Amino acid sequence: MDSARKMMKARLSLLLVLVLMITSAVCAISRQNNKQELLDHLKRLNKPYVKTIKSSDGDIIDCVNLADQPAFDHPLLMNHTIQLSPSFDPDQNKENDKIEGAEPFTQLWQLNGTCPQGTIPIIRTKKRDLLRASSIEAFGKKRNSTVPRPRFVRKYIAGTVHEYATAYVRGGKYYGTKAILNVWEPHVDNEIEFSLSQIWLVGGSPAHDTIEAGWHVNPQNNGDYQTRFFIYWTSDGYEHTGCYNLRCQGFVQTNNKVAVGGTLRPLSTYDSDDIFGITLSFWKDPHTNNWWLKYGEENVGYWPASLFTILAADSASEVQWGGEVLLQKPDGRHSTTQMGSGHFAEEGLRKASYIKNMQLVDEYTNLRDPWNIATYESEPNCYNAKFFNALDQGKYVFFGGPGRNPNCP
């Protein structure tokens, strides 16, 4: 009997050793496969370059030939003919990025060099950038995102929630928009959270197609807490398609001066004359149906019509201007992540963040003032928005807030 027990025990021990060896081998193979997958993805993102520029903010800028950019890896763009410039520009009243006596905007990398004509500047993706994402598929994507919606039931997903303070128009036909976005560097609590100021153009209800641009502080996406210019798109309501900047196939860049995702300088200072902003314009080209983006006086590039369904066939049905915060409430307390300047809308000029000179492109390709503007505040005691109509500065929305405060515990 003792002999049988000893034999059984030996067999079980041997079986356990075999299981551990197999598990270890499987894990090693999995790690090797994951490593190779990561390296393959880096190769897809980081295209061959003709010149490299090192920026003082830590970015490495690769000057990539226009035809070699990531957009053309998209199956819908394999035989795409590049539109080098828009067929028209709806901007009749030229604006620059100088506001209230401030200096024009620069991206820090521009201080160390320029990309040649025929190339575009792309921020090099590093291994650590991919490792910050939950998966390669999630890299460069907004997590659990939506478009700001009144009466929308906001759900806590994976311990996070999106909060908004925006102005919006809805229900018309909008072929573009233009506005000046005041630029700040809000405090963000941790690497999971973000704070942004942006413009949304939305096709479909609920939102199906969106194109977006603005500035954000987004440590998980960017690996730092600096204010950066960004773009975004989706063609399925943020489910699977789209991404930030050039981190997936889609947006076609034609400009050799603007690095999408680059840091912005200078920044606004609270209650001072140092108030800075960037001018952004979007419009639909009537000859190609591509959606163009302009940064200041530079045509950056376009979202090809073939990426979309609703925005390809028709106009946007909604435009939003304002702020968004992604935050956590791990202990039931609100985050101290700020929106905008970190101050509420009613503080006004020099103190609150704003988007001003808000205009829409109509069906005749003319810029005109928006009509029937409403505001949306998901948590008005934490972040709020106020709409103003100024004779000399057009339509304004002031927005922002500190997050946690006595009225937002």
Side-chain angles (χ1 to χ4, degrees):
M1 199 70 170
D2 289 343
S3 170
R5 285 198 188 97
K6 288 180 180 178
M7 186 174 293
M8 180 63 71
K9 189 174 181 179
R11 288 174 177 174
L12 289 173
S13 297
L14 179 60
L15 181 60
L16 179 60
V17 170
L18 288 172
V19 168
L20 290 173
M21 290 175 64
I22 293 171
T23 302
S24 177
V26 169
C27 289
I29 293 170
S30 178
R31 283 194 298 272
Q32 185 63 33
N33 289 342
N34 289 341
K35 182 179 179 180
Q36 188 59 50
E37 186 181 7
L38 186 146
L39 293 174
D40 290 344
H41 197 62
L42 279 175
K43 187 176 180 180
R44 285 192 294 271
L45 290 172
N46 294 324
K47 300 298 184 181
Y49 52 85
V50 299
K51 180 180 178 180
T52 291
I53 301 168
K54 292 185 178 180
S55 176
S56 61
D57 56 19
D59 288 343
I60 298 175
I61 306 297
D62 292 330
C63 302
V64 175
N65 281 322
L66 189 63
D68 294 335
Q69 63 183 290
F72 302 121
D73 291 335
H74 196 293
L76 294 175
L77 301 177
M78 290 295 189
N79 299 310
H80 181 78
T81 300
I82 301 173
Q83 184 181 4
L84 293 176
S85 61
S87 65
F88 88 106
D89 185 342
D91 186 2
Q92 302 301 317
N93 300 311
K94 295 295 182 183
E95 296 277 0
N96 58 35
D97 293 334
K98 189 173 183 179
I99 300 176
E100 299 182 7
E103 292 299 317
F105 252 78
T106 60
Q107 293 186 311
L108 290 181
W109 71 274
Q110 296 168 339
L111 301 176
N112 294 336
T114 59
C115 282
Q117 289 290 336
T119 70
I120 63 168
I122 301 179
I123 298 175
R124 185 180 301 176
T125 301
K126 304 179 182 71
K127 182 179 177 181
R128 62 175 177 266
D129 296 326
L130 290 178
L131 292 175
R132 283 195 307 272
S134 59
S135 66
I136 287 178
E137 291 74 21
F139 175 67
K141 296 183 181 297
K142 285 189 177 183
R143 292 176 293 115
N144 314 317
S145 197
T146 61
V147 169
R149 293 288 192 190
R151 298 178 297 280
F152 176 74
V153 178
R154 293 174 303 118
K155 296 180 180 179
Y156 289 84
I157 305 174
T160 61
V161 65
H162 293 258
E163 293 186 355
Y164 305 94
T166 67
Y168 67 92
V169 291
R170 185 177 297 150
K173 285 185 172 292
Y174 314 114
Y175 292 86
T177 184
K178 177 187 176 184
I180 298 173
L181 287 71
N182 186 209
V183 179
W184 302 82
E185 194 161 81
H187 164 77
V188 172
D189 257 4
N190 57 63
E191 65 180 15
I192 301 300
E193 302 186 0
F194 68 64
S195 181
L196 62 76
S197 169
Q198 72 164 64
I199 302 171
W200 292 260
L201 276 86
V202 182
S205 184
H208 189 275
D209 296 347
T210 76
I211 57 176
E212 309 168 28
W215 59 261
H216 65 179
V217 177
N218 189 334
Q220 184 170 67
N221 188 69
N222 300 320
D224 58 39
Y225 290 79
Q226 300 186 87
T227 299
R228 292 176 176 268
F229 170 56
F230 80 90
I231 64 173
Y232 199 89
W233 68 277
T234 180
S235 61
D236 61 0
Y238 304 98
E239 289 295 329
H240 304 291
T241 61
C243 64
Y244 281 109
N245 306 334
L246 306 183
R247 289 186 159 175
C248 68
Q249 311 96 330
F251 184 81
V252 176
Q253 184 161 342
T254 58
N255 184 279
N256 68 325
K257 299 177 183 177
V258 178
V260 179
T263 55
L264 296 175
R265 291 294 185 275
L267 301 171
S268 300
T269 303
Y270 179 76
D271 198 17
S272 78
D273 292 331
D274 295 328
I275 303 297
F276 302 92
I278 55 173
T279 303
L280 296 180
S281 306
F282 307 72
W283 69 94
K284 187 174 186 177
D285 190 309
H287 297 289
T288 62
N289 290 330
N290 298 328
W291 286 84
W292 276 86
L293 172 67
K294 188 175 183 179
Y295 172 103
E297 293 301 311
E298 299 292 336
N299 292 322
V300 180
Y302 59 91
W303 290 272
S306 56
L307 296 176
F308 305 108
T309 51
I310 296 167
L311 288 180
D314 202 353
S315 64
S317 56
E318 179 178 343
V319 182
Q320 300 237 10
W321 306 266
E324 175 185 0
V325 167
L326 175 72
L327 56 89
Q328 298 175 303
K329 295 184 178 180
D331 55 1
R333 303 176 70 204
H334 198 282
S335 167
T336 59
T337 288
Q338 299 172 337
M339 179 188 292
S341 68
H343 294 261
F344 286 114
E346 50 267 29
E347 293 196 35
L349 282 171
R350 298 162 54 101
K351 298 179 179 180
S353 183
Y354 62 73
I355 297 178
K356 74 174 185 178
N357 291 89
M358 296 151 53
Q359 295 177 289
L360 295 169
V361 180
D362 65 18
E363 63 269 33
Y364 304 108
T365 67
N366 296 316
L367 279 167
R368 55 178 291 183
D369 285 346
W371 56 98
N372 297 328
I373 293 178
T375 57
Y376 171 56
E377 304 157 315
S378 58
E379 291 287 350
N381 289 330
C382 309
Y383 314 106
N384 68 352
K386 305 292 181 187
F387 170 70
F388 292 90
N389 188 8
L391 292 177
D392 59 337
Q393 299 287 350
K395 311 290 186 181
Y396 262 93
V397 59
F398 288 96
F399 63 93
R404 188 194 308 156
N405 67 79
N407 296 317
C408 174

